[in-house]
Every structure is written in structure tokens, then in C-alpha cells.
């Protein structure tokens, strides 16, 4: 069994380079399916999720090749199958994003029905509703969703909720559809803008990405090219929280501070010093942290993907913090593990009440999902003694070279494999 072992209470200081965004690179790799030719993606982070999405594409007959310098080449000139298998969808829900481009390129997609997962039911009804408006017939067969579109046409799609995945899937389907598509109440996340920029770079015609209304004019075909995705705002936010819990002094290179506005605002409210400098985003913490309330919301609100890490940090803030999760219905599983380390957290439905500061002490804890794992890393960095974190495969889904990066700024952290 693999573990990450951390000896806490070491002040983090120095400089880290933030990697490319997981949630931008996955849809961009998938969008390369739209292109009859080669796409090169630069600075691809070394993540388990990137490997999984490449495996999904390989199953479709698409060539994916890792080149030196973290470059990935995707050649989707030939697509020979249209199925995203159960094994992949179970491993990574973002596999459902192949539906849009498969419908656009070959008029058919078959994907395993995504079931419930650790952080909520996460249905894909909004994706399917969008496809249906564009002329897609949906049917079910033994746990698989079959989508067929002899004639994919542009349509007006209103999303009941600004789902990131539904917005991305519909944009990709619409990129090669006949006519114009308008998505209303679209998700506004920076990763949507990045996806649209990628498609536009390859010859697509998308306007309004990053606002509530996205317009896509279908084009006949897209040509190959190269692209580099945006920095990972969640990875950056996680390192800011890690610096804050150790009263550290850290500079993050390769950050778009605009994407981190709600996270920076909360850290400042807690008493952290943050400044955008030539060298990068600088955080320095020497005062006791203050309790704050936060509520997760779609972008530009506070990101749900930072909620767990902040809960870990708030255990060390003086006073009562109220954390409300509005995006996913079951995303407090880290609270119990944090309690094992000494945190005082009460859960009441979608709200967690964190009393602090309560001294954290090392323990054996278990990551229940990617960001819950990150929260345990942060708590361990601030805890007295040694913490062992198991289920590290969740953390490897989304943090590029986490152990190496943290070690380079002074953390006592290692991986260990034992037979236990
Ligand atoms: C993406 C991110 C994930 C992040 C989330 C919200 C990727 C690969 N993943 O996930 O890290 O936490 O955005 O910022 O980019 N919903 C429906 N029906 C649908 C689609 C979604 O009810 O058809 C619900 C979900 O169950 C959830 C909420 O909408 O409660 C948000 O989901 P969505 O924005 O779609 O998240 P993902 O794209 O899955």
C-alpha cells in the first residue's frame, strides 16, 4: 500500500511553479478529437487523470504520444470506435466529455452511464438535454447511454444549472454542427474559456466563453495546431493554503491571479498577506489566522474544489467558521478524517461549522477523493508529529509532482510503499 508520510510544523518557504490546469487539459485533450490532424499540447502535467483520458482516446483508435518536455501529441485523423468503457468512466467521470466530439465527428457515442461517486450523484442530464436539442437521439442499453445524431444541428440550449461539463460537452458537439448554437446560463469557469480558445485556435468559431451566453457557429472541420493550457488555479490555491497553515512565505510562479480572486479574498480576510509581484504571487503569513465564513458557488464564486483545503486551514483559525457547500451534495468526507487529527468540525446538512484554533496532531488518515486528499496534506503540514495518508491514488489524479514540490519548499514529506 502506498502512503504519503508528513512530519508537520515545518514552515514552507521558497518558490513553486504551478503546473497546467488538470480541469483545462482534460477537455482540451478530448477536444483534439474534433480535429482531423495532429494537435500538440505543451506543458502537460504528469497526472493519473491525463493518463486515463489518453487511454480513453486510445480505445477510440486515436493516437496519443508523449514527447519530450511534457508535450502530448494527439492525432485523431482516424476514429475507429465510439465507446467510452465502463472501466474508464468509473475511474474518471470526465470521460463522458468524449460524447460531444464523437457526436460531432462520427455521429454516434456510447458511454457507460456514470453512477454515483464519492462527492455526490453527479448525473449528466444537462449534457443529454443539450444534445437532444441538437438533434441527438438518446437511448439506454445495459448500463450504456447510446447517443446517435445522423444530423447534428445548432440549437438554443438553456442549462438549468451552469454545469462545467455540460457546457464543455455542448460546446464541443456544436463546434462542428450544422448552424449556430447558443448556450444560455453556461458555466463561466476559466477552463471553459481555455477550451473555447483551443477550438478557436484550430479554426472554430466560439464567442462569449467566460460569460453566461456562449455562441458557437459550427464549422466544417478543424485543423491541427499547438496549444498550452492555463495554470491550475486549484493547485495554486492548495499551495497557498499549505503556506498559510505553516505560517510560511511562498512565491507561486505561473499563476493567473484573476482566476484566484475568491480564494485570495478569503485568505486576506483570514489575515494572510498576498501580493502579485513580478516574480509571481507572494503569500506571507505571520499573524494568527482569523475565522471566516465561505460558501461554494459556480465561478466566479468560491470554488468547490478549494472547500476541503480551506476547511483544513480553518481548523487553525481563531473563532467559528461556517463552510457551506452548494455545488455538490456530499462533499464533507474530509471532515471526519480532520477530526481524527483533532479538528473541531460539526456537519449539519450542507454546512460545516469549524471551531478553531484546535491543535492538530499526526494520525493515520484516508483520502476519500482528490481534494479531500489535498486537505489532509495541508492539515498534516500544520500538525504536530507524523501523519500517514493512505489512498494516495486520489491525490495523484490532480497534483503534479506534489511530494517533490512540497519538499523543495521545506516540507518533510515522503512516499512509502509497504506490503500492509
Ligand atoms: C467540474 C470539475 C470539478 C469541479 C466541478 C464544479 C472537471 C474535470 N471537473 O466537474 O473538478 O468540482 O466542475 O466546479 O473539470 N449536474 C447535474 N446534471 C448534469 C451535470 C451536473 O445535476 O448534467 C450537477 C452535479 O451533480 C453537481 C453540479 O451540477 O452537483 C456541478 O457539476 P458540474 O459543474 O457539471 O461539474 P463537473 O463538470 O462534473
Amino acid at each position: 500500500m502506498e502512503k504519503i508520510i508528513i512530519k508537520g510544523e515545518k514552515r514552507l518557504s521558497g518558490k513553486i511553479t504551478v503546473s497546467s490546469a488538470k480541469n483545462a487539459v482534460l477537455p482540451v485533450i478530448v477536444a483534439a478529437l474534433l480535429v482531423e490532424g495532429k494537435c500538440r499540447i505543451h506543458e502537460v502535467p504528469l497526472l493519473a487523470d491525463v493518463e486515463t483520458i489518453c487511454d480513453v482516446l486510445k480505445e477510440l483508435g486515436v493516437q496519443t504520444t508523449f514527447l519530450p518536455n511534457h508535450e502530448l501529441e494527439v492525432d485523431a485523423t482516424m476514429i475507429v470506435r465510439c465507446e467510452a468503457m465502463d472501466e474508464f468512466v468509473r475511474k474518471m467521470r470526465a470521460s463522458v466529455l468524449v460524447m460531444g466530439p464523437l457526436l460531432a465527428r462520427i455521429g454516434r457515442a456510447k458511454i457507460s452511464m456514470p453512477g454515483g461517486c464519492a462527492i455526490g450523484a453527479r448525473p449528466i442530464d444537462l449534457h443529454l438535454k443539450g444534445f437532444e436539442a441538437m438533434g441527438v437521439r438518446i437511448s439506454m442499453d445495459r448500463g450504456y447511454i447510446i447517443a446517435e445524431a445522423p444530423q447534428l444541428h445548432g440549437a438554443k440550449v438553456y442549462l438549468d444549472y451552469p454545469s462545467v461539463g455540460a457546457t464543455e460537452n455542448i460546446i464541443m458537439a456544436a463546434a462542428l454542427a450544422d448552424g449556430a448554437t447558443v448556450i444560455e446560463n453556461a458555466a463561466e469557469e476559466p477552463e471553459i474559456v481555455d477550451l473555447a480558445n483551443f477550438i478557436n485556435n484550430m479554426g472554430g468559431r466560439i464567442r462569449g466563453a467566460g460569460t453566461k451566453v456562449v455562441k458557437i457557429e459550427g464549422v466544417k472541420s478543424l485543423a491541427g495546431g499547438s496549444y498550452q493550457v492555463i495554470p491550475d488555479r486549484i493547485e495554486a490555491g492548495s499551495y497557498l493554503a499549505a503556506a498559510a497553515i505553516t505560517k510560511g512565505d511562498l512565491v507561486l510562479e505561473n499563476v493567473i491571479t484573476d482566476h484566484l480572486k475568491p480564494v485570495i479574498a478569503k485568505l486576506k480576510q483570514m489575515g494572510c498577506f498576498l501580493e502579485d509581484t513580478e516574480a509571481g504571487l507572494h503569500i506571507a503569513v505571520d499573524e494568527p489566522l482569523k475565522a471566516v465564513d465561505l460558501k461554494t458557488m459556480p465561478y466566479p464564486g468560491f470554488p468547490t474544489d478549494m472547500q476541503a483545503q480551506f476547511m483544513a486551514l480553518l481548523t487553525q483559525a481563531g473563532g467559528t467558521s461556517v463552510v457551506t457547500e452548494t455545488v455538490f451534495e456530499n462533499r464533507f468526507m474530509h471532515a471526519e478524517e480532520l477530526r481524527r487529527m483533532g479538528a473541531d468540525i460539526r456537519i449539519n446538512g450542507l454546512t460545516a461549522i469549524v471551531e478553531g484554533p484546535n491543535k492538530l496532531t499526526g494520525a493515520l488518515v484516508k483520502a476519500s477523493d482528490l481534494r479531500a486528499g489535498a486537505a489532509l496534506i495541508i492539515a498534516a503540514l500544520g500538525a504536530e508529529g507524523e501523519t500517514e495518508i493512505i489512498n494516495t491514488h486520489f491525490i495523484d489524479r490532480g497534483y503534479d509532482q506534489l511530494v517533490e514540490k512540497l519538499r523543495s519548499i521545506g516540507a518533510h514529506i515522503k512516499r512509502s510503499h509497504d506490503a500492509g
Side-chain angles (χ1 to χ4, degrees):
M1 191 194 332
E2 184 164 299
K3 292 177 188 169
I4 291 178
I5 302 177
I6 296 177
K7 263 203 193 106
E9 295 190 305
K10 305 283 178 244
R11 185 169 175 267
L12 301 183
S13 76
K15 197 181 261 189
I16 295 190
T17 304
V18 173
S19 299
S20 299
K22 170 181 92 72
N23 287 353
V25 85
L26 295 177
V28 161
I29 293 172
V30 171
L33 281 174
L34 292 165
V35 178
E36 278 174 69
K38 290 180 181 168
C39 294
R40 280 203 175 183
I41 305 157
H42 305 299
E43 304 282 345
V44 174
L46 304 171
L47 302 174
D49 275 10
V50 168
E51 282 173 31
T52 305
I53 204 69
C54 288
D55 288 342
V56 175
L57 263 58
K58 279 182 207 149
E59 280 293 314
L60 304 173
V62 170
Q63 284 179 27
T64 63
T65 317
F66 275 97
L67 304 166
N69 294 329
H70 303 287
E71 216 168 89
L72 175 69
E73 186 178 87
V74 182
D75 184 351
T77 309
M78 291 279 289
I79 298 179
V80 298
R81 294 182 75 209
C82 66
E83 184 175 326
M85 293 192 305
D86 190 51
E87 171 196 344
F88 298 127
V89 180
R90 275 184 201 278
K91 214 168 172 183
M92 192 185 68
R93 226 185 87 88
S95 309
V96 303
L97 291 177
V98 298
M99 279 189 100
L102 283 177
L103 286 166
R105 275 291 297 283
I106 58 174
R108 185 178 158 88
K110 180 176 173 187
I111 62 146
S112 166
M113 180 73 194
C117 74
I119 58 170
R122 301 179 84 174
I124 58 161
D125 54 311
L126 300 170
H127 304 228
L128 302 183
K129 194 179 142 198
F131 294 147
E132 278 177 326
M134 299 173 74
V136 176
R137 282 196 312 267
I138 308 280
S139 56
M140 295 286 298
D141 182 28
R142 285 180 292 173
Y144 275 79
I145 298 170
I146 297 166
E148 286 163 307
Q151 197 93 61
L152 196 62
H153 58 75
K156 202 165 194 171
V157 178
Y158 176 84
L159 296 179
D160 295 335
Y161 183 88
S163 152
V164 174
T167 304
E168 291 170 344
N169 230 339
I170 297 163
I171 286 177
M172 290 189 281
L176 298 178
D178 194 12
T181 298
V182 179
I183 309 174
E184 289 177 330
N185 199 28
E188 298 171 77
E189 269 70 0
E191 292 77 17
I192 306 277
V193 180
D194 215 33
L195 173 66
N197 286 343
F198 169 78
I199 297 173
N200 286 346
N201 267 20
M202 307 300 149
R205 294 185 61 194
I206 303 168
R207 283 178 296 137
T211 73
K212 287 197 178 307
V213 182
V214 183
K215 290 186 183 158
I216 308 110
E217 295 275 350
V219 295
K220 289 265 172 285
S221 65
L222 297 173
S226 63
Y227 195 72
Q228 180 163 341
V229 307
I230 52 172
D232 198 314
R233 61 195 167 101
I234 306 301
E235 187 198 14
S238 304
Y239 285 121
L240 292 176
I245 207 164
T246 68
K247 299 267 188 295
D249 189 321
L250 189 66
V251 173
L252 294 180
E253 282 181 321
N254 192 33
V255 171
I256 299 176
T257 34
D258 215 36
H259 296 169
L260 279 158
K261 264 188 195 156
V263 171
I264 291 173
K266 282 294 158 195
L267 287 168
K268 284 186 174 169
Q269 216 180 317
M270 291 177 76
C272 304
F273 168 84
L274 283 115
E275 187 186 27
D276 210 0
T277 70
E278 291 260 300
L281 178 61
H282 178 207
I283 179 167
V285 183
D286 42 31
E287 285 173 27
L289 297 171
K290 295 190 277 269
V292 295
D293 294 345
L294 64 88
K295 191 178 194 175
T296 66
M297 301 284 275
Y299 192 84
F302 189 90
T304 173
D305 284 353
M306 280 302 303
Q307 178 259 108
Q309 301 90 313
F310 259 68
M311 192 182 291
L313 183 57
L314 289 171
T315 65
Q316 299 310 295
T320 306
S321 301
V322 179
V323 176
T324 309
E325 174 59 59
T326 76
V327 180
F328 291 110
E329 72 269 27
N330 186 22
R331 207 174 191 180
F332 283 148
M333 274 172 323
H334 41 280
E336 199 170 319
E337 299 301 297
L338 292 172
R339 275 200 294 256
R340 290 165 68 86
M341 298 177 71
D344 180 351
I345 304 170
R346 274 171 295 135
I347 305 289
N348 186 2
L350 297 178
T351 301
I353 296 147
V354 188
E355 301 285 354
N358 246 30
K359 193 162 182 57
L360 299 177
T361 47
L364 174 66
V365 287
K366 191 170 165 184
S368 53
D369 65 64
L370 166 58
R371 306 304 171 186
L376 298 178
I377 300 265
I378 290 161
L381 290 167
E384 185 183 76
E386 195 169 272
T387 300
E388 294 186 3
I389 301 166
I390 57 171
N391 273 2
T392 54
H393 61 279
F394 283 121
I395 299 167
D396 296 333
R397 290 185 58 177
Y399 288 91
D400 185 14
Q401 299 172 77
L402 174 100
V403 169
E404 294 76 7
K405 285 188 185 184
L406 280 173
R407 204 180 281 148
S408 76
I409 52 169
H412 283 204
I413 178 168
K414 63 177 184 189
R415 279 181 196 268
S416 105
H417 303 262
D418 66 28

